Amino acid sequence: MADSDGRQVDSINNATDEDVKLQEIVLAKNEGKELTKEEKQRLRKEKKQHKKSKKDDKGPPEKEKVKEKASVPVPSKPATQSPAHKAAPVPVNASASESPAAAEKPAKSKAELRAERRARQDSDRASKQGKKEVGQQSASSKPKATPNELQPVVKRLPEHVQVDDPAALKKLAKKLERQQVPLRSDYGYKVSLFSHLHQYSRKNPPTQQISIPATVIHPSIVRLGLQYSQGIIAGSNARSVALLHAFKQVIQDYSTPPNEELSRDLVNKLSPYISFLSQCRPLSASMGNAIKYIKKEISNIPSQCKEEEAKGELQACIDSYINEKIILASEAISKYAIEKISNGDVILVYGCSSLVNHILCKAFEKQRKFRVIVVDSRPRLEGRETLRRLVKKGIRCTYVLISALSYILPEVSKVFLGAHALLANGYVMSRVGTSQIALVAKAYNVPVLVCCETYKFCERVQTDSFVSNELDDPDDLIVTRNGKTHLENWQTVKSLGLLNLVYDVTPPDFVDLVITDLGMIPCTSVPVVLRVKNVDQ
Amino acid sequence: MELQAVLMAAGGGSRMMDLTYNTPKPLLPVGNRPLIWYPLNLLERVGFEEVIVITTKEVQKALSTDQRLKTDVKMRLDVVCIQEETDMGTADALRHIQQKIKTDILVVSCDLITDVALHEVVDLFRAHNATLSMLMSKVHEFTDTVPGQKGKKKAGEQRDFVGVDVTGKRLLFMANEADLEEGLVFRKSIMRKHPRMLIKTGLLDAHLYCLKRSVVDFLVHNKSVTSIRGELVPYLVRKQFSKMFGVHNKCTSKEEALLQLARERSCWNDHRGDMSEAYHGGKLRCYVHIMEEGMCYRVNTLAAYIEANRVVPKLFEDPPIHPTAVVTERSLVGSDSIIGPYCQISDKTSIKRSNVGTSSTIKEKVKITNSIIMNGVTIEEGCNIQGSVICNNAVIGRGADMKYCLVGSGQCIEPEGENAVVQCSSGYTTHTKTHTLHFCSSVVFVLNPAFCVCVCVHSLAHVCLFFV
């Protein structure tokens, strides 16, 4: 009504009561501002509480979560009420007549209604999530895909991306202590964008605190962990095969303690080993899938099965998994990929992917005429290994560093890339630099083909390389040339941080085709494959 | 079980017969603990729970009776006795206990005193699936004057030539100067595979080896190999580059196939520049960990023994004066000396930078500097002992003045008149005359390990022959 009055005043007393009109307009505007300010404050408060209740869901123990959720809706209610109260005295203080108060009443009531509705939604959501948390198992921190897509799946953040959260670190330390696995400490200054990831040094091996005849952790697992941390076994396929080989030895040396069942006890035995391995080097997606498979196979062993028989069966399962998912898969992928390689092709490869190397060697054996350009990058310089293997086979190769990529691309007819994992939204996670290659290739209209076995498909979703990655030893970036090591004392320079990323994600728009053992699919069909796999299992 | 520890404690201590003709080397006191305690402590600290000890009957008796050893060492000691008369080399000893060995082994010598992080050596063994992994250290020059040796160290110490690759971890070449006739000889196959090799002399072999089980099987078949250090290690190092590998025989093919697959798919290589795969496809690999800093002593010479006694007490947090020792207030015991249990130190004695062993009695007005007094020694009043080593159960008579002497076990030096200066190189003095005996140069001839003849020439008309 203030507005209508103001307008009436306006219309009647245009010229003369300008000041009054102005005043009233200003008043109205101020009140309007105050109104919106109050509303804004209310909205802000509600948003904060909403976020807080969400964070509480993902944070530490469930009991606390349930308690907090119970308490969160309560403060939100008085919070919404207090701005309503605040709104009341403010117009009283305002110098205008009751018309502003009257005008605010409908606005206030609308805002209050909205606030109450929001508070109700919060409490509903909180109670639903509380129920879900209590009901969920906490076996592994890996998110599980539910077949029912309608119900939202609550995924807990894995520990290895929560390094800057002291509560998560404490939880991890407690868990490792319980399993008698030594905790590996982080090293050096971490760039702030990646402070939520672990960064270890190769000079502090994970075996420093393990007793020398390793008793708590099986010796083959200790050996494997050392080989991971020193980079002797690197590459997704190699790591999975070595992991399964070590598990075979563990199973062979395992003997069921009395009053225990193999199907349950063996899984419990494997947990500290897996913790140890993830301390040495964060697990890859392929390793995660292999571990899931083994755990499922172990728990499916019938209880009346004798120990020797069960062990033999498990060994056979592991052998068949490796045979099907890795060896035969690479044969199938080579067959599909060779169709795509024609005579006279110039193929660009990046880094060292065991699968791409296999494809090229097979294509060469099938008498295809092509030449290869190997692109390499520091600090790992894995392209040298690719170069060695291809040249040994007899393939004509060119070797460039990634900085020369745009110079060499006009010559290239196809790009073959390997993958570390394929994410559920079609993004390709691979060695750092792959997304650059895909980007520049797209700019030059060169087709990009990604080769990946289906066992590397992962239910994770990522759209950037920051959220979940791996930080390698920063000292790898230090190089000595002509006897001078410029970065030798990089730790003393406070404003300097060395960042050695291992992986990056490539969006599906840059990838033209994914060659898997199920066939050649577009990048966006990855969730379909995952769904089919889950239904199978 | 990953590793079994084997402690070689049957050696005779042939390079310090003055000390060991009566006491076996593993029981020599260093810092008031028997020498064998140090490697046992090292193994215990890293987490071993049982050790196979190969030793003689005497040492075995001492191990079971020595109170201190029994309380300090919590591991289970599986003592294997060998006869002293049979001149068994270390490899022969391994062959002797072949039945007990079920896994890879860690061989340690009883005279090793070190604070190395053992996981460095074992990690090389584990990560690269090596056949041999050993420990070496930079040699310390011993600067203290050694009783019984005038002038510089004898040039009898043969040099070791050790060749490592650019990373400093892979052992490519090992030879001792004694085995070489004209010069170093390198095989072309080594040079082709490792064009850059660093040759180091001045390294001390700590005699700590991680060996694969198949090596023990190899030893059983080849009875001609007697010593680990002298024959087995150079053989293994050479065999890395030969085409026939006899040490590794068939293994379970499935396991090998999987490991082979993993290695093929892995994008790692230990060298670059040539066309071969990791490790050049070789199955036999030898690695060495060279200690840059830290302490590593092999107590097999007198100089090393004295140096070890000097350095070791500082490392352990034992109280310098054992609580059971009786030390009167008017005596002066320096902060870097240690007094063993049940000692009796009388008034007006001054003990500086010395180690006094168990149950020793030191009477009044004695001055001991820079010396090592072993167990059960009695030192009468007024003695002045400097830079000397007094072995077990010796008795030093009144008023003796000894500089840089070594008094053998169970000997006694009769009381002098005043101003007697006794400078003896070794062994026994059954009696000393009242006039001074100067022994300007002493030459020690080692005729054979059983005898040590010292001929001392002095300026006066005495020529004394000391037999051991």
Side-chain angles (χ1 to χ4, degrees):
Chain A
M1 251 183 254
D3 297 353
S4 51
D5 279 349
R7 266 184 236 117
Q8 279 172 8
V9 169
D10 269 348
S11 55
I12 295 171
N13 304 339
N14 269 356
T16 54
D17 297 274
E18 276 182 13
D19 296 331
V20 177
K21 173 192 75 179
L22 272 171
Q23 264 187 14
E24 285 187 338
I25 289 179
V26 163
L27 269 174
K29 268 198 191 151
N30 283 340
E31 282 149 18
K33 271 196 201 140
E34 280 167 79
L35 274 177
T36 52
K37 230 198 264 175
E38 284 160 18
E39 223 173 282
K40 276 187 196 162
Q41 277 178 356
R42 227 176 288 142
L43 280 169
R44 241 180 273 141
K45 276 212 184 81
E46 278 153 13
K47 263 192 208 161
K48 264 193 215 160
Q49 270 142 19
H50 183 61
K51 269 191 208 156
K52 195 175 169 210
S53 59
K54 253 197 184 167
K55 230 200 256 176
D56 291 336
D57 291 350
K58 290 174 189 156
E62 295 168 7
K63 287 186 201 155
E64 282 174 40
K65 268 181 239 159
V66 174
K67 263 194 234 154
E68 271 166 323
K69 258 167 250 150
S71 56
V72 151
V74 173
S76 68
K77 282 212 186 98
T80 50
Q81 281 170 12
S82 49
H85 284 299
K86 247 196 253 167
V90 168
V92 168
N93 294 339
S95 49
S97 52
E98 75 270 50
S99 43
E104 278 170 18
K105 278 210 192 99
K108 206 206 312 173
S109 57
K110 252 195 249 169
E112 214 180 0
L113 278 173
R114 226 177 285 156
E116 283 174 353
R117 221 184 304 136
R118 206 165 278 124
R120 229 183 301 130
Q121 277 179 354
D122 277 345
S123 57
D124 280 341
R125 203 177 292 130
S127 58
K128 212 200 285 183
Q129 279 178 350
K131 270 191 241 149
K132 211 167 209 75
E133 286 301 316
V134 170
Q136 225 181 19
Q137 290 172 22
S138 52
S140 69
S141 60
K142 305 217 173 18
K144 298 186 203 135
T146 52
N148 187 0
E149 244 93 272
L150 297 169
Q151 207 181 27
V153 179
V154 175
K155 296 186 200 289
R156 213 179 287 144
L157 273 182
E159 176 281 323
H160 67 268
V161 298
Q162 277 190 302
V163 176
D164 55 351
D165 180 9
L169 278 181
K170 238 192 287 177
K171 193 175 168 208
L172 171 73
K174 248 194 272 178
K175 176 174 122 175
L176 289 180
E177 209 179 332
R178 200 179 4 109
Q179 294 175 331
Q180 292 178 293
V181 171
L183 175 71
R184 206 172 170 196
S185 49
D186 284 359
Y187 166 77
Y189 170 71
K190 276 191 270 191
V191 173
S192 56
L193 266 176
F194 293 94
S195 57
H196 60 287
L197 299 170
H198 282 295
Q199 180 172 280
Y200 299 127
S201 165
R202 211 154 286 143
K203 291 196 282 270
N204 298 339
T207 50
Q208 263 174 342
Q209 287 133 4
I210 293 194
S211 65
I212 291 260
T215 39
V216 175
I217 300 178
H218 193 270
S220 54
I221 301 279
V222 175
R223 166 173 299 158
L224 187 65
L226 265 177
Q227 289 176 329
Y228 283 166
S229 70
Q230 292 181 6
I232 295 176
I233 302 230
S236 196
N237 282 338
R239 284 166 76 185
S240 309
V241 172
L243 175 73
L244 291 170
H245 168 77
F247 276 172
K248 273 179 84 170
Q249 292 191 312
V250 168
I251 291 173
Q252 202 168 357
D253 293 340
Y254 171 78
S255 56
T256 328
N259 307 330
E260 293 279 353
E261 273 204 27
L262 185 139
S263 54
R264 257 169 287 175
D265 188 56
L266 187 52
V267 179
N268 293 342
K269 273 262 161 42
L270 289 181
S271 302
Y273 301 163
I274 297 169
S275 304
F276 173 71
L277 289 177
S278 61
Q279 286 289 295
C280 297
R281 194 175 162 192
L283 298 181
S284 67
S286 55
M287 286 166 70
N289 288 344
I291 290 173
K292 255 191 255 177
Y293 173 78
I294 291 219
K295 282 192 174 168
K296 193 172 71 78
E297 286 300 314
I298 294 176
S299 27
N300 282 349
I301 297 230
S303 45
Q304 59 269 31
C305 202
K306 267 192 291 223
E307 187 176 317
E308 287 309 318
E309 226 178 276
K311 285 207 254 187
E313 207 178 294
L314 285 174
Q315 311 258 16
C317 278
I318 295 181
D319 282 332
S320 73
Y321 185 83
I322 295 179
N323 200 26
E324 277 172 39
K325 307 277 182 177
I326 301 179
I327 301 179
L328 289 179
S330 70
E331 297 292 326
I333 294 176
S334 319
K335 233 191 269 185
Y336 289 123
I338 288 174
E339 295 169 26
K340 292 288 177 187
I341 300 179
S342 32
N343 284 337
D345 257 346
V346 180
I347 298 178
L348 185 127
V349 298
Y350 177 64
C352 186
S353 165
S354 53
L355 188 53
V356 173
N357 293 347
H358 189 252
I359 292 172
L360 294 177
C361 292
K362 274 273 156 19
F364 189 73
E365 278 168 29
K366 290 236 161 74
Q367 314 297 329
R368 292 278 200 278
K369 303 277 177 289
F370 59 93
R371 68 182 180 95
V372 176
I373 298 182
V374 179
V375 179
D376 202 5
S377 72
R378 275 198 69 225
R380 288 182 175 228
L381 290 170
E382 288 167 338
R384 295 187 295 194
E385 190 55 25
T386 312
L387 188 66
R388 179 188 73 81
R389 288 177 200 200
L390 296 180
V391 171
K392 195 166 181 193
K393 217 41 191 199
I395 304 175
R396 274 183 62 207
C397 295
T398 309
Y399 177 87
V400 292
L401 288 180
I402 195 170
S403 38
L405 183 62
S406 48
Y407 294 102
I408 204 92
L409 255 171
E411 294 179 16
V412 173
S413 62
K414 289 190 182 67
V415 176
F416 272 80
L417 296 174
H420 172 255
L422 238 61
L423 305 174
N425 55 351
Y427 278 63
V428 178
M429 182 180 218
S430 185
R431 185 69 80 222
V432 65
T434 314
S435 60
Q436 291 304 299
I437 304 236
L439 175 69
V440 182
K442 185 84 181 171
Y444 280 89
N445 275 327
V446 175
V448 173
L449 292 91
V450 169
C451 310
C452 182
E453 298 98 333
T454 47
Y455 87 106
K456 289 184 192 162
F457 284 21
C458 167
E459 283 113 10
R460 222 162 53 196
V461 170
Q462 236 179 284
T463 52
D464 60 57
S465 320
F466 297 92
V467 150
S468 176
N469 208 324
E470 186 186 328
L471 294 179
D472 208 357
D473 190 351
D475 290 337
D476 283 351
L477 294 175
I478 302 177
V479 69
T480 307
R481 286 215 181 92
N482 299 332
K484 278 196 274 208
T485 317
H486 293 280
L487 284 175
E488 203 165 0
N489 302 318
W490 67 275
Q491 307 241 34
T492 53
V493 182
K494 286 292 167 213
S495 49
L496 179 63
L498 294 190
L499 179 66
N500 191 356
L501 278 182
V502 182
Y503 297 116
D504 71 5
V505 284
T506 309
D509 347 336
F510 298 148
V511 176
D512 294 303
L513 194 65
V514 177
I515 309 181
T516 69
D517 40 329
L518 294 176
M520 299 195 264
I521 57 176
C523 230
T524 44
S525 305
V526 170
V528 177
V529 172
L530 277 172
R531 197 170 60 212
V532 167
K533 253 202 325 175
N534 285 334
V535 166
D536 279 344
Q537 287 169 0
Chain B
M1 265 289 277
E2 192 187 0
L3 277 182
Q4 273 176 289
V6 177
L7 183 59
M8 299 283 186
S14 52
R15 280 194 268 182
M16 32 184 207
M17 285 310 284
D18 313 328
L19 295 175
T20 55
Y21 68 88
N22 214 357
T23 329
K25 188 168 80 161
L27 299 178
L28 280 180
V30 174
N32 288 348
R33 281 184 215 263
L35 182 56
I36 200 174
W37 182 86
Y38 292 93
L40 285 176
N41 180 257
L42 173 71
L43 292 173
E44 190 171 349
R45 260 187 292 132
V46 290
F48 275 97
E49 278 167 22
E50 62 173 57
V51 184
I52 302 175
V53 183
I54 301 180
T55 183
T56 54
K57 282 220 170 42
E58 212 178 321
V59 177
Q60 182 189 33
K61 220 189 315 176
L63 280 178
S64 48
T65 54
D66 187 336
Q67 266 312 107
R68 218 166 168 193
L69 266 182
K70 281 219 289 219
T71 49
D72 283 346
V73 175
K74 296 194 184 48
M75 300 184 290
R76 194 176 78 85
L77 299 179
D78 183 3
V79 184
V80 174
C81 278
I82 57 171
Q83 303 296 336
E84 268 175 61
E85 298 79 38
T86 63
D87 200 9
M88 256 201 182
T90 39
D92 295 327
L94 277 185
R95 211 174 290 128
H96 184 75
I97 56 164
Q98 183 238 351
Q99 300 296 331
K100 291 184 189 270
I101 295 180
K102 309 251 173 351
T103 66
D104 304 336
I105 53 174
L106 175 69
V107 179
V108 192
S109 168
C110 67
D111 54 12
L112 176 66
I113 301 182
T114 179
D115 63 353
V116 71
L118 208 53
H119 72 86
E120 308 255 7
V121 179
V122 181
D123 279 351
L124 284 173
F125 184 70
R126 288 165 173 156
H128 298 277
N129 211 6
T131 312
L132 161 74
S133 170
M134 55 189 285
L135 173 68
M136 290 194 134
S137 155
K138 293 223 178 322
V139 166
H140 301 267
E141 290 298 321
F142 301 128
T143 48
D144 293 326
T145 325
V146 177
Q149 272 182 14
K150 271 242 157 145
K152 283 295 175 188
K153 245 191 333 178
K154 11 180 203 201
E157 308 285 334
Q158 301 284 356
R159 280 185 301 177
D160 267 332
F161 292 96
V162 178
V164 292
D165 74 342
V166 277
T167 60
K169 299 276 175 197
R170 181 93 190 260
L171 188 54
L172 301 175
F173 180 80
M174 178 174 277
N176 190 287
E177 200 173 340
D179 300 329
L180 304 169
E181 281 125 49
E182 304 137 355
L184 290 177
V185 178
F186 293 102
R187 298 171 72 162
K188 247 198 226 164
S189 53
I190 309 181
M191 301 306 295
R192 242 181 266 131
K193 291 181 182 168
H194 297 269
R196 305 189 83 184
M197 193 191 317
L198 299 167
I199 312 264
K200 301 189 182 216
T201 54
L203 284 182
L204 168 73
D205 182 353
H207 213 286
L208 191 150
Y209 307 109
C210 279
L211 292 167
K212 262 211 150 85
R213 174 123 201 286
S214 45
V215 175
V216 179
D217 295 335
F218 165 75
L219 279 181
V220 169
H221 292 306
N222 296 12
K223 300 207 193 291
S224 59
V225 179
T226 49
S227 151
I228 297 184
R229 174 66 183 88
E231 289 167 54
L232 183 61
V233 171
Y235 173 78
L236 287 176
V237 173
R238 270 197 317 270
K239 235 6 185 173
Q240 287 178 98
F241 302 104
S242 71
K243 296 218 181 70
M244 314 279 299
F245 12 86
V247 182
H248 282 264
N249 23 32
K250 62 264 169 206
C251 340
T252 36
S253 53
K254 255 193 184 163
E255 311 297 317
E256 272 299 303
L258 262 189
L259 271 179
Q260 191 62 26
L261 179 67
R263 193 159 291 144
E264 270 170 38
R265 298 295 173 118
S266 171
C267 50
W268 177 84
N269 206 325
D270 66 328
H271 65 280
R272 62 183 189 92
D274 66 0
M275 280 297 177
S276 19
E277 48 185 9
Y279 308 126
H280 300 277
K283 293 217 173 28
L284 216 176
R285 300 180 273 278
C286 300
Y287 284 86
V288 61
H289 173 68
I290 300 181
M291 267 175 83
E292 302 285 324
E293 319 152 319
M295 181 187 62
C296 180
Y297 291 108
R298 276 208 69 205
V299 181
N300 52 5
T301 60
L302 191 51
Y305 178 74
I306 294 177
E307 180 77 16
N309 262 300
R310 195 94 51 224
V311 171
V312 154
K314 300 195 186 94
L315 297 178
F316 295 99
E317 313 84 39
D318 287 340
I321 300 179
H322 199 272
T324 56
V326 175
V327 180
T328 56
E329 285 120 25
R330 300 211 285 168
S331 57
L332 191 71
V333 178
S335 56
D336 35 12
S337 303
I338 55 171
I339 312 285
Y342 310 115
C343 281
Q344 286 183 339
I345 318 284
S346 311
D347 293 335
K348 299 201 195 120
T349 51
S350 141
I351 303 183
K352 293 202 184 97
R353 271 184 272 129
S354 303
N355 296 358
V356 178
T358 319
S359 309
S360 294
T361 313
I362 303 187
K363 300 270 166 65
E364 289 93 12
K365 293 202 201 117
V366 171
K367 199 158 163 238
I368 306 181
T369 327
N370 262 342
S371 302
I372 299 169
I373 317 280
M374 292 200 200
N375 309 331
V377 171
T378 312
I379 303 185
E380 306 284 344
E381 299 101 35
C383 293
N384 182 357
I385 303 179
Q386 208 178 336
S388 307
V389 177
I390 318 278
C391 294
N392 289 338
N393 304 319
V395 176
I396 312 291
R398 216 178 302 131
D401 189 354
M402 310 176 67
K403 286 194 176 57
Y404 303 114
C405 280
L406 196 157
V407 176
S409 187
Q411 299 316 307
C412 47
I413 300 201
E414 290 200 354
E416 290 291 344
E418 311 122 20
N419 305 325
V421 177
V422 177
Q423 283 179 334
C424 46
S425 60
S426 92
Y428 339 13
T429 45
T430 49
H431 65 276
T432 53
K433 304 270 162 75
T434 49
H435 54 261
T436 49
L437 303 168
H438 288 287
F439 298 89
C440 304
S441 63
S442 54
V443 177
V444 177
F445 295 116
V446 180
L447 293 182
N448 68 49
F451 290 106
C452 179
V453 176
C454 310
V455 176
C456 313
V457 178
H458 70 107
S459 58
L460 299 181
H462 276 268
V463 175
C464 304
L465 271 168
F466 300 89
F467 288 100
V468 166

